[in-house]
Amino acid sequence: AGHPHPIAIGNALRLRKILELDQQRQAYLANVSHELRTPLTVIQGYLEALESGNAGDKAPRFLQVCREQAERLGRLIDEVL
């Protein structure tokens, strides 16, 4: 009577595996979220500078950075999907 039943052991191992997979999924999603937010934040910052008129003669460069970061964002989304 002191030994755990094989079904109980199997269930416990399956539950542990499910919990491990869920932790891996959460870590992956946190990483993906960070990777996607980085270029988005850059784009938002440069667009705000352009909108406020503070870009001056750097406006063409700011637009180039926005385009490059938008392309980066597109590549990251493609990788995730």
Side-chain angles (χ1 to χ4, degrees):
H3 299 290
H5 194 275
I7 292 174
I9 293 172
N11 287 342
L13 292 173
R14 277 191 287 281
L15 179 59
R16 182 167 29 179
K17 184 65 177 172
I18 289 168
L19 294 174
E20 287 172 8
L21 289 172
D22 189 57
Q23 284 180 331
Q24 291 172 3
R25 181 189 61 83
Q26 287 179 16
Y28 174 76
L29 289 176
N31 187 46
V32 167
S33 175
H34 174 75
E35 289 293 321
L36 294 175
R37 285 182 200 281
T38 301
L40 185 58
T41 300
V42 173
I43 292 167
Q44 289 170 328
Y46 278 89
L47 288 176
E48 286 173 14
L50 287 163
E51 284 177 338
S52 69
N54 291 334
D57 60 353
K58 294 182 181 145
R61 174 67 186 136
F62 283 18
L63 287 170
Q64 180 184 0
V65 169
C66 287
R67 184 181 43 74
E68 291 167 356
Q69 293 298 308
E71 290 169 0
R72 177 180 171 204
L73 193 53
R75 286 192 305 272
L76 288 167
I77 291 168
D78 288 344
E79 287 177 20
V80 170
L81 299 180

